[in-house]
Amino acid sequence: MTIAIDQPIQQKPLSFDEFLDRYGGDNRYELIDGEVFDLEPTGSHEEVAAFITTKICVQIDGIGLPWFVLQRGLLRPSNSSMTAFRPDIAVVNREELPKELLWYEQSILTLGSSIKFVAEVVSSNWQNDYARKVEDCAALGIPEYWIADYAGLGGTRHIGKPKQPTLSICTLVDGEYEIQKLRGNQAIVSPTFPGLKLTAEKVLRAGG
């Protein structure tokens, strides 16, 4: 199975400002702990991301919330000077944007209060999705974080053995994520979007 490729492309660690100078204008790149990753998603990866985005947009519109889905902007955790990642899907609260000093000129978010939901579709560098980004999203206080591992790429401690496609629903409780691992026809229960009527299989098979 062909998978998305996101590998570090430089040897010298970069600061956030250095990253912006070199790569900030190109939404193919993100910075994780000083390493620049080139995001080259496959068609299957994009289909899963598009499926989740479509379902979430219907929920936002139906409820009439002042939210929207971010199109490849940067999230920069305030506790790190060398990380700025581009989530596959992020739901932003428009009412919080006046507090974001970097938003209007550079589409950069730094405050957890601006972000209601994040989802990552797992690619070859799955460690970032299961570890670093989980820590950053929890530190930001993002209420809900999904990991859609449609190809079963994650380590066995994350998705079990034998490996199989898994949707991990991470819900913030007292500053840490409680993680529910879903497969097959198990129903998704989303605290952010309680009206969603989906199973893990529908999400994970959207790309194939």
Side-chain angles (χ1 to χ4, degrees), residues 18-27 29 74 86 106-108:
E18 290 172 329
F19 169 76
L20 281 186
D21 287 341
R22 297 189 193 182
Y23 304 102
D26 192 328
N27 64 15
Y29 301 101
L74 280 169
R86 299 185 190 275
Q106 298 173 292
S107 67
I108 297 170

Side-chain angles (χ1 to χ4, degrees), residues 36-47:
V36 178
F37 288 83
D38 186 352
L39 307 175
E40 297 181 358
T42 65
S44 294
H45 177 283
E46 292 298 89
E47 287 183 67

